[in-house]
């Protein structure tokens, strides 16, 4: 087997592994993958989950079906001693910058290359919190969603 062919098989295997590990992307596909959990929810919560919405008092399983697995989880305790947990959902936001400069120069220790030689645009993607849910005693207490 040639190196090129081996690399192609390795890349194909990595792609297959990545696709297999991806979580269902929509409430409908998460519901289809977890019908027992969905059918155990109250009717009002089932209707909201199907629309990708949540409400106060919802269980964590319902939020998992509606919004998917959180990117970050943090646990704590309320003033009254009740356990609490926060789930955060991240998004990636593009930030574009304009740069001007020159290609390179020669210094006392040798030639140097400026990383922004010439002028143009750079786009960097930064993560930011798009939504969070606070649970108290395993049920939704409050939440925020930016809509993006």
């Amino acid at each position: 087997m040639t190196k090129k062919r081996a690399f192609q098989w390795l890349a194909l295997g990595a792609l297959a592994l990545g696709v297999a590990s991806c979580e269902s992307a929509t409430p409908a596909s998460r519901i289809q993958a977890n019908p027992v959990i969905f059918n155990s929810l109250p009717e009002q919560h089932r209707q909201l989950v199907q629309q990708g919405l949540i409400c106060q008092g919802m269980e964590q399983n319902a939020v998992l079906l509606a919004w998917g697995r959180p990117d970050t989880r943090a646990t704590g305790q309320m003033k009254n001693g009740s356990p609490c947990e926060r789930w955060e959902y991240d998004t990636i936001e593009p930030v574009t910058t304009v740069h001007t400069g020159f290609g390179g120069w020669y210094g006392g220790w040798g030639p140097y290359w400026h990383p922004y030689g010439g002028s143009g645009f750079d786009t960097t993607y930064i993560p930011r919190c798009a939504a969070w849910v606070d649970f108290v005693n395993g049920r939704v207490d409050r939440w925020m969603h930016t809509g993006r």
Side-chain angles (χ1 to χ4, degrees), residues 95-99 115-116 120-124:
V95 176
T96 302
T97 55
V98 179
H99 61 80
Y116 297 112
F121 298 93
D122 282 325
T123 301
T124 304

Side-chain angles (χ1 to χ4, degrees), residues 119-134:
S119 61
F121 298 93
D122 282 325
T123 301
T124 304
Y125 295 88
I126 57 171
R128 71 168 180 80
C129 182
W132 53 259
V133 183
D134 284 343

